Amino acid sequence: MRGKKRLTDRWAPTPKVMGVPWLVVLLGLHCAGIYLFTRGFLLTRTELSASSLPSDLHLSPCSSSSSDDPDPAPHHLHPSRPGWTRPTVDRILILIVDALRFDFVAPSTFFQEKKPWMDRLSLLQHLASTQPNSSRIFKAIADPPTTSLQRLKALTTGGLPTFIDVGNSFGAPAIKEDNWLHQLVKNGRRVVMMGDDTWTQLFPEHFNESYPYPSFNVKDLDTVDNGVVQHLEPWLHREDWDVLIGHFLGVDHAGHIYGVDSLPMIQKLEQINAIIQNVTDVMKSQKHLENTMLIVMGDHAQTLNGDHGGGTSEEVETCLFAWMPRSLPSSISSIFDQSTCSLDLNGGNICTSTMQQLDFAVSISALLGIPFPFGSIGRVNPELYALSPGSWDPQWHLTAFCEDSRSDLETWKHNYAHVLCINSWQVKRYIDSYSATSVMGFPTDDLRHITDLYNKAQSSWSGSKNSPCMPENGTINGFSNFLLSFAALARSAWTEFDLKLMGVGLGIIIISIICHILVFVRVHSQSNVYGNKTEKSSDHLQISVAFFLVAVRAVSFLSNSYILAEGRVANFLLASTAIASTRSSLVYGKFKKHDLVFLILIIFIRFGIEMGMTKQAVTNPFLKYDSGSDFDSKWLPSLFQGHDFATLFSEVSPMIFLFLLAFVSYKIITCIVDASGIKWIVTIGAMLSYALIVTFWLSERSFAPRMVYGIGFGLLVLNFVIRSTGILERGDALQRLRNLALVMVAAWIPTILILLGKQGPFAVLVCVFAGWSIISSKNKGLLDDCKMDPISVMQWSLLAICLFYQTGHWCTFDGLRYGAAFIGFDEFKIVRQAILLFIDTFGISHILPIFSLPFLVVLPASSSSKKRDKTVIFLNLTQVYLLYGLITAITTTLTILCVAIQRRHLMVWGLFAPKYVFDAIGLLLTDVLICISALFYC
Amino acid sequence: MRTAQIGATTALTLHSLCAAGLAAGHWLAQSFYSSSLITDPTRTLRFLTVCEAPIVIVLFSWLRRDHDRCTFIKSVGRGLMGLPIGALFSAFGAIVLGAPVGLKYWPATIYWSMLMSLFTFVPAACVFGASKLGWQHILSYSNSFYRLSNVVDYMISVPAHGAILGAWLGAWPMPLDWERPWQEWPICVTYGAIAGHLIGMLLSPVLIYLHQRHIRTKVE
């Protein structure tokens, strides 16, 4: 009925397409579904607001002896300070080296091969090998997500921060949970911080003095480090501090910009080595620092590319080095795990241990003698605890008759068992309170098992307390067993998925898909009123082929391997469609050049994707000097390795591609736009932008990118003016649509180009030619060349995915090309940089393909001689947009489903969750862009 | 004409000869060099190609289309020429689809594409030579079921399409992280291609039988 009515008003001045309100409804449904699912999926851990109090200790079974036998010999260090355990060190100096890999610190003899970045922190190795009784290198295993903010939160609270916080990383909210900084401040200790300003954002009121430096400017390797150096030494000579935190960012930034295997990285490591050398010299000479523990540690590690965020061993295996100026009893060696020892470069023996980063918070609290953070679930690390001299002193409640017969080691064990008892009691208290307040606690069976372990350990403790000369091994093992089991349980079962919300969200999205299909079918049947009905069968075949491909792609997300290889899978499918279309042109006996061009382009795309994947895995030696020049500087020079020609080529080839692109754009503009005024404006705008891009590459001047953004914005405004004033209304609908679409694309290309860096021209050229091939291979042999071809739309969407991966992006947060956010701007402003990063990430894979979709309808139609009426064109355009949206929606739905199914998968935070976030944002962006395009073009 | 008299049984016999060639290649590789497709893909592929090539070329040259104008020897020559050309196409297709191109893969890729050429390109080259229409015929097979007029068309088209589809499906497990040796290029793709080819060879006599019955009922 509606179709009939439409026939009558086909010459109405502004034909309305019924799809637009529906598109908005779909957008709303997607928003609601994704919002609910995200609430259910990423809301994970209930943060408890309670915090530990010094007076809580009398509740624990561990302190009974001390309560009826008040401390006979108050500790000489801090007699007045309340705490749960006795402080064992005076001060702690924590130097955090962001993104410190384990192999930066451990001697190269630990690894199969000596790499240039190894053995640069020679001082730490020297200390570890010459003073084995007062220093130790630990391999500290962090928990994913390995982003700085999450790690700092984990280091201070002793908990397992979850994925949702990654989203807060830009906003850096203050930590609300109990943590050792909070405990320090409450118990009258003085904390000084210098370095990364994330600390002051996390702890706005905790520091007596702080010297924060901006952390977001990745290109800046020195400001933060120099700031720390400037303030560190004066503070070392002062006595009015208890904990000093220095956070160096240079290593992290050098990794992000240049990769691990680079000269700046080595220089940074050597600088850090010199700083630590200086610090240890001061510590040896100053009397007040005699009982100070120096901790040099990483918050997380990094891959060879300098990326971090995931859960691979390269990213989680960071390092912790602890050193005391005072030497300790030699029996300490029996506490240390001697299993991983090796000769260092100078022939000395060097040993390392392994610890969980989770244990750091509680270990620090035990060393400083403050109440353990309420939410900490770690275990006081025996080796770190043994490094403090105080842990070897006889405890206050030790009965006198046993004291003489005890060796150092037994005293230590007794002290440690006492600390572990409090530790276990605190964790148990947390478990109980968590189970009571949280809607979904831990599984009852596991909880019962944990409680059993706790009770067993406690009874062993009470037994040993009654006869204090008994060896403590059983007790220590019992407590350790309990704590380790609980940490394992927490790791496996922590993420508290709200299945109900997830289900509702998924349901809404599935409903939206059904609506989508219904709308699509309706528009499709409406367009069939105009079309040739005899071709219905081939039409159905094409739609089913397209949906078969969508289904293959979507189902592939069930496996983590396919998500990792998504770019290759998309390329495989795109190549399959290209081969099939070549085959069908052969069937009709006419082999066309665009088929061959398309196949060759796919080979280029394929190599680009593979290069992107290798960047993800290992650093390529040719990628050092420019984070933007991913593609060309990567695989082209590797063919001519070791020649000056290679560098020259990688410098020059982007220029050549850019000139080629300029030529092609000129051709396209003159060929497509027919209104001469607009044609000139667009041509001048494009050429000026290209010239500015070249200027930027040659001179690195920041005015050029800004002007490029300005020109792009100007063209957009012009386009809206054209659209709203109706300058083009005189021409027919096809021409109008062509002009609008071209100006739109021309407005976006230079911005995307400059953000993509030197790989940009090649990627955009590939995009243009591949688009051209898809358009010209469309609907081969069919008579009705204006009809929507589902396979072309499918190819368009596969091409968009391929371009995403080809341009060096991938679906993880460390895959974001942060360098792009600073093109044209040096200082950091959150909104501006976020917009640039967003355009860089989604520009070539979402914005460009969606805005250029009209060409898929318009160009074949205008090449035919047949006169088209407006309504048919707009119906086809709506169909194309609906189908494109449907393809994206279906794949995203499957991603969501797979994430829901795989929510207990090992890689859920490393792989599935980032994929989900990227796909969800991609879907919403696609919907928004489709709505804009539908409103704009129709 | 001899070709017209070919029935489903003859087709089955000829196909089994081809399959026997593959089996012989596999057996030779295994018994003399004790290498299977997994342990030494290059050598096994070489054996498969060497054993399969003469059988395919001779059989399909015997089935050549234009008996009057084309001698058996000429047809064999066409087949021999078709082998590298088809291999080139196969290799190009594989690289477009994402086959690895590192130097160490080259020998395996070359033999694999030879084998693919024997499954797909060589039979058609032997039978049709440069006849454009013949090639179009076997390609358009999938468009409608009974359009193929000739028995030989089935014998070429069905196993060839089977081999290509099989190889395509065989590539699917490659990205999985099971770390099995058979996931390496081109092992699973070869398995897929051979399996698809064998299924195609089983299917083609069935289709020929159905086709001939259909024609007979039409005539009656």
Side-chain angles (χ1 to χ4, degrees):
Chain A
M1 279 297 100
R2 268 189 98 141
K4 279 273 159 59
K5 192 169 168 257
R6 204 153 288 282
L7 270 172
T8 57
D9 56 29
R10 71 167 72 157
W11 298 113
T14 49
K16 282 195 199 93
V17 177
M18 63 172 275
V20 178
W22 273 107
L23 289 174
V24 178
V25 170
L26 288 175
L27 171 65
L29 280 177
H30 289 160
C31 281
I34 286 173
Y35 173 73
L36 290 177
F37 187 87
T38 310
R39 280 285 303 275
F41 177 60
L42 295 181
L43 171 149
T44 45
R45 199 171 56 111
T46 316
E47 289 189 2
L48 301 184
S49 54
S51 55
S52 304
L53 295 170
S55 56
D56 288 345
L57 191 66
H58 73 268
L59 302 171
S60 84
C62 314
S63 60
S64 53
S65 60
S66 66
S67 57
D68 43 58
D69 176 24
D71 197 347
H75 185 50
H76 62 281
L77 294 172
H78 301 288
S80 62
R81 280 175 188 161
W84 283 8
T85 55
R86 199 178 43 175
T88 56
V89 292
D90 286 347
R91 295 184 168 87
I92 295 188
L93 171 58
I94 302 174
L95 297 181
I96 297 177
V97 181
D98 214 289
L100 185 73
R101 285 164 63 95
F102 180 61
D103 60 3
F104 286 163
V105 179
S108 55
T109 46
F110 275 62
F111 305 95
Q112 287 178 344
E113 208 182 330
K114 180 176 160 61
K115 295 281 170 90
W117 61 85
M118 290 179 180
D119 297 325
R120 299 290 166 179
L121 298 174
S122 51
L123 175 75
L124 301 187
Q125 294 178 8
H126 174 74
L127 288 175
S129 98
T130 54
Q131 304 177 21
N133 286 346
S134 60
S135 62
R136 192 72 175 169
I137 293 175
F138 295 89
K139 181 194 274 184
I141 313 279
D143 292 290
T146 46
T147 45
S148 287
L149 185 119
Q150 264 62 45
R151 288 302 93 219
L152 292 189
K153 204 169 168 184
L155 284 174
T156 49
T157 62
L160 291 166
T162 47
F163 188 77
I164 187 69
D165 305 323
V166 171
N168 298 337
S169 200
F170 275 93
I175 290 181
K176 295 285 190 299
E177 278 186 288
D178 193 14
N179 56 71
W180 52 262
L181 278 161
H182 178 70
Q183 292 295 345
L184 282 173
V185 173
K186 264 204 321 197
N187 293 297
R189 310 288 186 90
R190 295 147 299 178
V191 189
V192 177
M193 195 290 303
M194 47 197 69
D196 186 348
D197 62 353
T198 314
W199 282 93
T200 47
Q201 287 161 356
L202 289 175
F203 305 101
E205 288 147 4
H206 294 68
F207 301 114
N208 288 50
E209 294 271 352
S210 64
Y211 306 94
Y213 294 90
S215 58
F216 274 105
N217 193 351
V218 187
K219 281 184 175 169
D220 180 357
L221 302 188
D222 295 320
T223 307
V224 178
D225 293 4
N226 292 345
V228 177
V229 172
Q230 186 195 336
H231 296 291
L232 187 57
E233 195 166 341
W235 270 98
L236 286 181
H237 291 280
R238 287 167 67 164
E239 294 189 22
D240 54 342
W241 57 273
D242 296 295
V243 173
L244 197 155
I245 299 165
H247 192 140
F248 299 96
L249 273 181
V251 172
D252 181 54
H253 288 185
H256 278 306
I257 298 287
Y258 302 100
V260 168
D261 189 2
S262 66
L263 194 60
M265 176 63 86
I266 289 166
Q267 287 166 346
K268 264 289 143 197
L269 289 174
E270 278 166 354
Q271 185 196 0
I272 298 284
N273 194 45
I275 295 169
I276 298 169
Q277 173 84 60
N278 197 14
V279 168
T280 49
D281 289 346
V282 175
M283 282 174 75
K284 280 180 203 156
S285 64
Q286 297 285 317
K287 185 82 180 75
H288 73 277
L289 293 175
E290 187 196 34
N291 202 17
T292 298
M293 183 183 269
L294 169 69
I295 293 179
V296 179
M297 64 186 296
D299 52 350
H300 51 74
Q302 54 182 326
T303 63
L304 292 182
N305 287 312
D307 298 325
H308 52 87
T312 63
S313 62
E314 264 197 318
E315 291 161 289
V316 299
E317 283 180 3
T318 179
C319 184
L320 189 147
F321 169 83
W323 174 71
M324 287 297 296
R326 247 168 77 171
S327 64
L328 294 156
S330 56
S331 50
I332 193 170
S333 54
S334 64
I335 294 157
F336 285 150
D337 168 27
Q338 299 292 345
S339 56
T340 48
C341 291
S342 169
L343 291 181
D344 69 358
L345 294 178
N346 306 322
N349 195 32
I350 194 163
C351 296
T352 61
S353 311
T354 301
M355 70 177 282
Q356 296 295 323
Q357 207 184 46
L358 188 66
D359 300 341
F360 180 76
V362 74
S363 304
I364 286 286
S365 309
L367 292 174
L368 290 167
I370 49 173
F372 302 164
F374 189 82
S376 157
I377 56 169
R379 170 183 73 131
V380 176
N381 186 284
E383 292 157 283
L384 196 56
Y385 188 65
L387 276 173
S388 63
S391 68
W392 296 87
D393 295 342
Q395 277 281 24
W396 56 91
H397 56 267
L398 214 59
T399 41
F401 93 98
C402 204
E403 205 164 342
D404 302 331
S405 62
R406 280 199 175 219
S407 69
D408 278 345
L409 189 60
E410 277 167 358
T411 316
W412 183 86
K413 278 190 176 159
H414 185 87
N415 291 347
Y416 182 57
H418 176 72
V419 168
L420 269 194
C421 173
I422 300 174
N423 188 185
S424 304
W425 163 76
Q426 167 261 325
V427 170
K428 183 72 177 63
R429 182 172 71 149
Y430 177 68
I431 298 172
D432 292 341
S433 123
Y434 187 82
S435 304
T437 51
S438 158
V439 193
M440 260 176 64
F442 298 103
T444 16
D445 284 352
D446 294 329
L447 214 54
R448 202 175 306 128
H449 175 65
I450 293 285
T451 314
D452 281 351
L453 285 178
Y454 178 70
N455 291 338
K456 219 179 283 170
Q458 267 310 339
S459 58
S460 152
W461 162 256
S462 349
S464 75
K465 204 166 52 177
N466 295 336
S467 51
C469 298
M470 288 262 292
E472 308 280 351
N473 285 340
T475 316
I476 291 176
N477 287 344
F479 283 130
S480 295
N481 202 2
F482 159 72
L483 289 167
L484 295 179
S485 309
F486 179 67
L489 172 67
R491 278 206 184 88
S492 73
W494 201 274
T495 42
E496 198 180 276
F497 301 110
D498 191 333
L499 292 176
K500 221 182 269 172
L501 274 181
M502 281 165 71
V504 172
L506 194 58
I508 290 177
I509 294 203
I510 289 170
I511 290 170
S512 85
I513 297 257
I514 295 168
C515 294
H516 214 141
I517 292 172
L518 288 178
V519 176
F520 177 73
V521 168
R522 203 159 157 191
V523 174
H524 192 69
S525 60
Q526 209 173 333
S527 80
N528 275 348
V529 173
Y530 300 90
N532 191 349
K533 271 179 190 157
T534 52
E535 283 163 8
K536 224 168 181 179
S537 69
S538 83
D539 212 46
H540 282 296
L541 179 75
Q542 282 181 319
I543 289 193
S544 34
V545 169
F547 276 97
F548 170 70
L549 292 174
V550 177
V552 169
R553 205 174 103 69
V555 171
S556 76
F557 294 146
L558 272 172
S559 161
N560 56 325
S561 322
Y562 286 121
I563 291 183
L564 270 177
E566 196 195 346
R568 276 163 64 197
V569 172
N571 187 65
F572 180 78
L573 295 176
L574 184 63
S576 306
T577 62
I579 289 173
S581 105
T582 313
R583 180 188 167 284
S584 71
S585 11
L586 288 175
V587 169
Y588 292 101
K590 38 189 180 181
F591 181 75
K592 292 190 189 136
K593 62 173 183 286
H594 55 73
D595 287 321
L596 188 65
V597 169
F598 198 29
L599 289 175
I600 289 168
L601 280 176
I602 289 171
I603 293 186
F604 282 128
I605 294 173
R606 177 227 138 139
F607 284 120
I609 292 171
E610 273 165 28
M611 291 310 141
M613 287 180 69
T614 50
K615 178 174 183 272
Q616 199 173 349
V618 254
T619 323
N620 191 300
F622 291 95
L623 201 68
K624 291 303 136 56
Y625 44 88
D626 188 347
S627 62
S629 62
D630 290 350
F631 183 66
D632 297 304
S633 59
K634 215 176 210 171
W635 68 278
L636 288 178
S638 62
L639 301 174
F640 320 104
Q641 201 162 352
H643 296 280
D644 289 339
F645 177 64
T647 29
L648 185 71
F649 189 73
S650 63
E651 289 283 316
V652 171
S653 63
M655 306 269 177
I656 296 169
F657 286 129
L658 191 68
F659 284 123
L660 211 61
L661 182 65
F663 178 70
V664 170
S665 338
Y666 176 72
K667 276 285 185 199
I668 291 174
I669 292 167
T670 46
C671 164
I672 288 181
V673 181
D674 56 348
S676 66
I678 299 170
K679 187 192 288 185
W680 281 114
I681 295 174
V682 174
T683 314
I684 291 169
M687 295 309 141
L688 196 60
S689 307
Y690 294 147
L692 284 168
I693 292 172
V694 175
T695 322
F696 175 65
W697 284 349
L698 292 178
S699 68
E700 294 275 322
R701 300 274 283 281
S702 65
F703 78 90
R706 292 185 200 183
M707 278 179 75
V708 171
Y709 307 146
I711 291 170
F713 189 72
L715 283 178
L716 269 187
V717 171
L718 172 78
N719 208 10
F720 277 95
V721 170
I722 295 171
R723 164 81 171 84
S724 51
T725 53
I727 294 171
L728 293 171
E729 295 295 333
R730 286 172 286 119
D732 74 346
L734 269 183
Q735 275 166 3
R736 175 173 167 277
L737 203 52
R738 252 162 40 185
N739 293 340
L740 288 178
L742 190 94
V743 180
M744 190 62 134
V745 171
W748 281 102
I749 281 184
T751 305
I752 293 171
L753 208 54
I754 199 164
L755 289 177
L756 284 177
K758 292 195 175 158
Q759 58 172 346
F762 188 75
V764 173
L765 263 181
V766 165
C767 176
V768 168
F769 277 108
W772 169 75
S773 309
I774 292 175
I775 290 166
S776 28
S777 69
K778 182 196 151 198
N779 257 346
K780 215 165 351 211
L782 294 183
L783 293 169
D784 193 355
D785 41 20
C786 184
K787 222 157 167 236
M788 184 220 42
D789 178 7
I791 296 191
S792 304
V793 182
M794 183 65 212
Q795 285 180 324
W796 205 266
S797 118
L798 285 175
L799 177 67
I801 297 149
C802 288
L803 285 169
F804 179 79
Y805 288 97
Q806 193 214 332
T807 46
H809 300 98
W810 56 88
C811 287
T812 48
F813 294 101
D814 45 280
L816 293 175
R817 300 170 65 254
Y818 289 106
F822 291 96
I823 291 177
F825 302 97
D826 282 329
E827 69 275 31
F828 177 79
K829 278 216 182 89
I830 178 104
V831 177
R832 188 175 64 196
Q833 261 62 36
I835 289 173
L836 287 182
L837 195 59
F838 191 78
I839 294 176
D840 168 63
T841 309
F842 293 107
I844 200 153
S845 57
H846 290 76
I847 299 173
L848 214 51
I850 291 174
F851 280 141
S852 55
L853 266 178
F855 291 130
L856 205 52
V857 175
V858 171
L859 290 183
S862 41
S863 66
S864 80
S865 50
K866 227 156 124 194
K867 182 87 182 149
R868 302 273 155 212
D869 71 59
K870 263 183 189 170
T871 326
V872 176
I873 289 161
F874 287 126
L875 268 178
N876 282 325
L877 188 62
T878 316
Q879 248 179 307
V880 166
Y881 271 118
L882 278 173
L883 188 61
Y884 194 90
L886 188 56
I887 289 169
T888 317
I890 289 176
T891 42
T892 310
T893 310
L894 259 290
T895 309
I896 294 174
L897 190 66
C898 297
V899 163
I901 292 170
Q902 307 274 29
R903 63 186 183 282
R904 295 284 175 210
H905 194 277
L906 179 70
M907 297 229 241
V908 66
W909 303 121
L911 197 73
F912 288 101
K915 171 75 185 145
Y916 162 71
V917 172
F918 270 80
D919 269 18
I921 295 173
L923 176 64
L924 294 182
L925 180 66
T926 307
D927 282 340
V928 169
L929 290 174
I930 285 176
C931 285
I932 293 173
S933 321
L935 285 171
F936 186 76
Y937 291 131
C938 294
Chain B
M1 287 262 97
R2 202 169 6 175
T3 44
Q5 288 149 14
I6 284 180
T9 10
T10 328
L12 189 63
T13 321
L14 295 179
H15 280 325
S16 11
L17 274 174
C18 292
L22 285 177
H26 198 258
W27 177 77
L28 280 176
Q30 199 140 44
S31 52
F32 285 100
Y33 290 91
S34 66
S35 65
S36 68
L37 208 47
I38 294 172
T39 52
D40 191 351
T42 314
R43 176 174 287 151
T44 314
L45 275 169
R46 188 163 59 212
F47 271 95
L48 287 176
T49 314
V50 166
C51 291
E52 184 76 352
I55 296 174
V56 168
I57 292 176
V58 167
L59 280 185
F60 283 93
S61 300
W62 181 64
L63 288 171
R64 68 195 176 277
R65 173 61 49 84
D66 36 5
H67 266 274
D68 309 329
R69 271 167 295 153
C70 179
T71 61
F72 180 76
I73 300 295
K74 195 179 166 195
S75 185
V76 168
R78 287 196 307 220
L80 287 176
M81 252 172 63
L83 183 62
I85 298 173
L88 217 63
F89 284 131
S90 308
F92 180 72
I95 288 170
V96 169
L97 283 167
V101 287
L103 265 180
K104 66 167 180 169
Y105 293 104
W106 275 28
T109 308
I110 289 169
Y111 287 115
W112 174 83
S113 37
M114 294 270 202
L115 193 66
M116 284 307 284
S117 172
L118 284 175
F119 288 164
T120 55
F121 197 84
V122 173
C126 286
V127 173
F128 304 119
S131 147
K132 192 179 166 192
L133 209 63
W135 285 90
Q136 257 170 277
H137 258 283
I138 54 161
L139 276 175
S140 62
Y141 165 74
S142 56
N143 282 1
S144 83
F145 224 80
Y146 293 110
R147 203 187 282 172
L148 289 185
S149 52
N150 202 301
V151 170
V152 182
D153 288 355
Y154 280 106
M155 288 185 62
I156 299 168
S157 172
V158 181
H161 278 96
I164 291 171
L165 274 180
W168 189 72
L169 289 172
W172 285 22
M174 281 175 72
L176 288 170
D177 59 355
W178 299 345
E179 293 180 2
R180 301 289 156 81
W182 54 263
Q183 283 178 291
E184 277 282 301
W185 165 260
I187 301 168
C188 52
V189 179
T190 312
Y191 276 129
I194 291 176
H197 192 59
L198 292 177
I199 291 171
M201 292 201 294
L202 283 177
L203 200 64
S204 93
V206 176
L207 288 176
I208 290 169
Y209 174 72
L210 290 175
H211 174 68
Q212 285 180 338
R213 206 177 61 175
H214 179 76
I215 288 175
R216 233 175 288 137
T217 50
K218 239 184 182 175
V219 171
E220 276 161 18

